[in-house]
């Protein structure tokens, strides 16, 4: 399955580490969102979209990128993130805004992945941040395993 991963990682490079681990496992093309354009997507079967979580959703530039896409057919997608807080399905599903946008563009979302990342925003800075050292080796191994699992879902 030809795979492209598009990501944004602006706070501490947390999501970039996760995106890199997934790209290795999938032999995927890896691009920051500002390096990607809509016409490239035609060449791939599976596209991963990920960023840190900022104010309860993925980075605006990633959401805007998806908003600008045309309607696509036969494209599978997966969504991933790193965040200060854990994702709580139904209550605090911070993947939802991105997933809704992807679905509007015709993507079939086959899976999603989230792990903690160092967060030094606002008050957390005073204590040296939360989730120090994350994503760690275990998180990156989980990201790789997640990515390999996608290959069986094609
Ligand atoms: C401006 C800002 C807003 C954030 N908002 C949230 C949030 O709403 N929920 C959360 O769980 N983490 C939040 N975080 C923490 C980041 O999601 C976390 O540090 C993430 O790993 C950053 O990824 P990056 O280093 O790839 O940018 C925020 C961080 C920043 C800088």
């Amino acid at each position: 399955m030809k795979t492209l991963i598009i990501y944004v990682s602006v706070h501490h490079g947390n999501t970039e580490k996760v995106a890199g681990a997934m790209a290795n496992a999938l032999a995927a093309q890896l691009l920051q969102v500002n390096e990607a354009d809509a016409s490239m997507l035609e060449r791939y079967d599976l596209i991963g979209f990920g960023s840190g979580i900022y104010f309860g959703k993925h980075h605006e530039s990633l959401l805007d990128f998806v908003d600008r896409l045309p309607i696509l057919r036969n494209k599978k997608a997966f969504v991933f993130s790193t965040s200060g807080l854990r994702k709580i399905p139904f209550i605090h599903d911070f993947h939802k805004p991105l997933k809704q946008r992807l679905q509007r563009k015709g993507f079939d979302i086959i899976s999603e992945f989230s792990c903690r990342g160092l967060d030094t925003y606002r008050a957390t800075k005073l204590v040296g941040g939360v989730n120090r050292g994350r994503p760690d080796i275990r998180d990156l191994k989980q990201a790789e395993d997640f990515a390999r699992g996608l290959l069986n879902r094609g």
Side-chain angles (χ1 to χ4, degrees), residues 9-15 52-56 82-85 118-119:
S9 186
V10 293
H11 189 33
H12 286 293
N14 298 332
T15 315
I53 296 298
Y54 316 94
F55 309 111
T82 64
S83 61
L85 302 171
L118 171 64
D119 180 8

Side-chain angles (χ1 to χ4, degrees), residues 6-133:
I6 299 174
Y7 73 96
V8 182
S9 186
V10 293
H11 189 33
H12 286 293
N14 298 332
T15 315
E16 184 162 52
K17 291 179 193 156
V18 169
M22 289 179 175
N24 275 341
L26 289 164
Q29 170 87 36
L30 181 62
L31 292 176
Q32 296 191 38
V33 76
N34 54 12
E35 301 168 320
D37 75 72
S39 63
M40 292 173 175
L41 271 57
E42 271 310 315
R43 287 180 247 147
Y44 297 90
D45 315 298
L46 173 66
I47 301 144
F49 295 88
S51 78
I53 296 298
Y54 316 94
F55 309 111
K57 48 193 178 162
H58 283 83
H59 195 268
E60 277 304 327
S61 62
L62 192 63
L63 300 174
D64 288 348
F65 178 82
V66 176
D67 279 339
R68 291 195 305 269
L69 292 176
I71 305 288
L72 293 153
R73 283 198 181 80
N74 303 322
K75 295 283 173 215
K76 295 187 192 304
F78 66 94
V79 167
F80 64 99
S81 66
T82 64
S83 61
L85 302 171
R86 174 178 294 281
K87 183 162 88 72
I88 307 168
F90 309 111
I91 299 166
H92 184 48
D93 183 2
F94 43 56
H95 283 182
K96 199 170 168 186
L98 177 59
K99 287 194 296 186
Q100 283 177 332
R101 281 169 171 80
L102 289 168
Q103 276 159 349
R104 264 184 244 136
K105 299 297 175 169
F107 283 94
D108 173 18
I109 301 169
I110 60 171
S111 200
E112 53 193 293
F113 177 87
S114 167
C115 75
R116 302 298 66 72
L118 171 64
D119 180 8
T120 55
Y121 185 58
R122 286 201 178 145
T124 65
K125 207 179 220 164
L126 301 172
V127 290
V130 290
N131 308 323
R132 268 181 277 175

Side-chain angles (χ1 to χ4, degrees), residues 130-150:
V130 290
N131 308 323
R132 268 181 277 175
R134 310 241 348 236
D136 58 17
I137 290 172
R138 233 176 103 223
D139 295 316
L140 297 180
K141 166 87 170 63
Q142 277 172 4
E144 275 175 31
D145 291 346
F146 165 85
R148 282 197 201 94
L150 295 172

